[in-house]
Amino acid sequence: MSEPIRKSMNEKRGTTVEETCRSNAPPVQTEKGTPIFRSIGMRRFSGVLVQQLRRMTYCHQFLSNLSSLTRFRLHTGNVNGYTQLKVRRFETSAEELSACLDLQLTSNPIAADFKENSCLLLCDNDHMDNYERDEIKITMKVFLSAWDVQQIEQAVTSLKEQLKTKDIEVLILSFPELDLIDGESEDDEHLRWFDKVKPLYTYMEKLVETSEIASIGVSDFSARQLKEVLGHFDVKPSINHVRLDGCCQVPPELQALANDNDVQLLVHNDPTPFPTNNIFKTFCEIDSGCEKPMCSPLFETTWLSRYSVWVRKRSIMTSKGYIVQFIRKHD
């Protein structure tokens, strides 16, 4: 049994390994007079210590291998296979991703190909082998760190390569936050926002025209923003991903606009903005037992995508994962 699973089971029982070693059960004597529970407890504790040292060594090696790269991607693979993640309730998807990377990077992942601009797969990638392509639906959400069309292109291309598919049913785009300008009116801010949205949405329209994606989704659009997009582009968004902070109802104006234009309002638990630049810090925290001058951190995130694979007829999510792109920071 792996350490993360053992730890999870101990947490459920309300005990730790050390507490197990200090059990109050009456000792049973061996032939040499050594209590059996003490012997077993010490062996278990030694095993835990060895596992921890191996993890720290692996994480340090993992970070050292990354130090020669200027750009790389991490793919979690199908995280649905981790019972430890299923039994936990995360407030946000960012917490889930952090817990997933912590689990994978302390469990000797299979990723070993540290090539420039490559995608490192951290666990088994059996996503769609049991289904025909027309039996499943792939949905992805891309979180951008900048108003950059290339980030969309890279995210879509990477997912298609990793899932070995030519098309994606739904692409939901989470746009970056707009920089604020002191004294700017609300109307001027809206116009500036739309000027930045245009090239990104136009690129998604082209993806629809080439059948690389079937439909477009947007994230956290207000009624005014959604109305602007609906009135300007030929390909209408089919989804508006909304986060309901502090309330349980969609604003009536947004609800009416969505109903009139066949736009689905789907609720999400993604933080806005997604804390992408904190992801690399996860590696540094895992490696906290080692000297790590290179972990300051060396890399920052450019984009992040989350995808899910659904079985159409059964409405079951058979796979879910994350892909993150990192580039070396420039001092």
Side-chain angles (χ1 to χ4, degrees):
M1 182 179 296
S2 66
E3 173 54 21
I5 295 177
R6 181 185 295 118
K7 181 179 179 182
S8 176
M9 293 178 63
N10 283 332
E11 287 175 351
K12 289 181 181 179
R13 293 197 302 265
T15 61
T16 62
V17 172
E18 289 79 3
E19 288 170 339
T20 301
C21 295
R22 296 195 302 267
S23 170
N24 292 323
V28 178
Q29 300 295 322
T30 64
E31 292 182 0
K32 295 183 179 181
T34 303
I36 288 179
F37 83 84
R38 183 181 302 169
S39 177
I40 294 175
M42 289 304 296
R43 287 200 300 270
R44 184 177 298 172
F45 181 76
S46 297
V48 171
L49 183 60
V50 170
Q51 289 279 352
Q52 184 67 20
L53 290 173
R54 285 177 178 173
R55 286 196 200 103
M56 290 164 55
T57 300
Y58 180 83
C59 291
H60 189 71
Q61 180 182 358
F62 185 86
L63 289 168
S64 297
N65 288 337
L66 294 181
S67 65
S68 63
L69 306 180
T70 58
R71 183 193 301 266
F72 70 96
R73 297 167 188 164
L74 286 184
H75 180 195
T76 63
N78 186 5
V79 303
N80 271 357
Y82 290 102
T83 304
Q84 302 94 314
L85 300 178
K86 286 184 176 180
V87 298
R88 292 179 59 181
R89 177 167 294 185
F90 300 99
E91 291 187 5
T92 69
S93 56
E95 291 182 6
E96 179 186 53
L97 175 58
S98 178
C100 178
L101 291 175
D102 181 273
L103 178 63
Q104 292 181 319
L105 294 173
T106 56
S107 302
N108 291 336
I110 63 176
D113 192 11
F114 292 85
K115 292 182 179 179
E116 181 69 18
N117 205 27
S118 63
C119 192
L120 306 177
L121 179 63
L122 298 182
C123 78
D124 193 10
N125 194 23
D126 56 344
H127 296 85
M128 305 179 294
D129 294 344
N130 297 327
Y131 302 95
E132 297 295 331
R133 181 61 182 89
D134 59 0
E135 294 180 308
I136 60 175
K137 174 183 178 180
I138 303 174
T139 298
M140 74 177 300
K141 184 174 184 180
V142 179
F143 302 86
L144 304 180
S145 63
W147 301 88
D148 185 357
V149 169
Q150 282 192 336
Q151 291 190 11
I152 307 174
E153 179 183 7
Q154 292 166 355
V156 171
T157 300
S158 183
L159 182 63
K160 290 194 299 181
E161 290 174 351
Q162 290 297 300
L163 299 190
K164 297 179 174 60
T165 184
K166 296 180 180 179
D167 52 10
I168 297 165
E169 276 71 18
V170 180
L171 168 61
I172 301 172
L173 196 61
S174 179
F175 295 87
E177 284 194 317
L178 189 68
D179 294 333
L180 299 179
I181 297 178
D182 290 339
E184 185 179 39
S185 69
E186 185 177 335
D187 289 342
D188 289 341
E189 180 182 309
H190 177 78
L191 290 174
R192 186 163 58 90
W193 169 84
F194 191 57
D195 283 341
K196 289 185 174 293
V197 167
K198 284 179 184 177
L200 277 63
Y201 200 97
T202 299
Y203 179 75
M204 290 197 292
E205 281 192 313
K206 292 179 180 178
L207 294 178
V208 174
E209 293 172 1
T210 58
S211 299
E212 293 180 71
I213 64 173
S215 62
I216 296 172
V218 295
S219 183
D220 298 307
F221 272 25
S222 66
R224 184 179 184 181
Q225 291 172 332
L226 183 59
K227 185 176 181 179
E228 189 78 61
V229 169
L230 287 168
H232 187 274
F233 296 101
D234 294 330
V235 180
K236 313 300 181 186
S238 61
I239 293 172
N240 185 16
H241 229 202
V242 294
R243 181 180 174 91
L244 302 179
D245 288 320
C247 68
C248 56
Q249 291 184 342
V250 176
E253 184 181 2
L254 179 58
Q255 181 72 63
L257 182 64
N259 289 339
D260 292 342
N261 292 275
D262 296 323
V263 178
Q264 286 184 287
L265 296 177
L266 302 180
V267 177
H268 68 79
N269 71 335
D270 304 315
T272 304
F274 202 100
T276 52
N277 283 332
N278 292 330
I279 295 174
F280 191 79
K281 294 179 182 178
T282 300
F283 308 156
C284 303
E285 291 170 359
I286 293 172
D287 194 41
S288 58
C290 304
E291 295 180 4
K292 49 185 188 311
M294 55 81 62
C295 207
S296 31
L298 280 180
F299 295 90
E300 59 186 358
T301 308
T302 57
W303 55 262
L304 177 149
S305 70
R306 184 184 67 243
Y307 65 88
S308 55
V309 181
W310 297 83
V311 182
R312 293 180 184 273
K313 293 182 178 180
R314 301 169 61 190
S315 296
I316 295 175
M317 183 191 294
T318 183
S319 178
K320 177 175 69 172
Y322 296 84
I323 301 177
V324 190
Q325 176 165 278
F326 298 90
I327 61 171
R328 181 176 292 276
K329 292 183 67 175
H330 298 288
D331 296 330

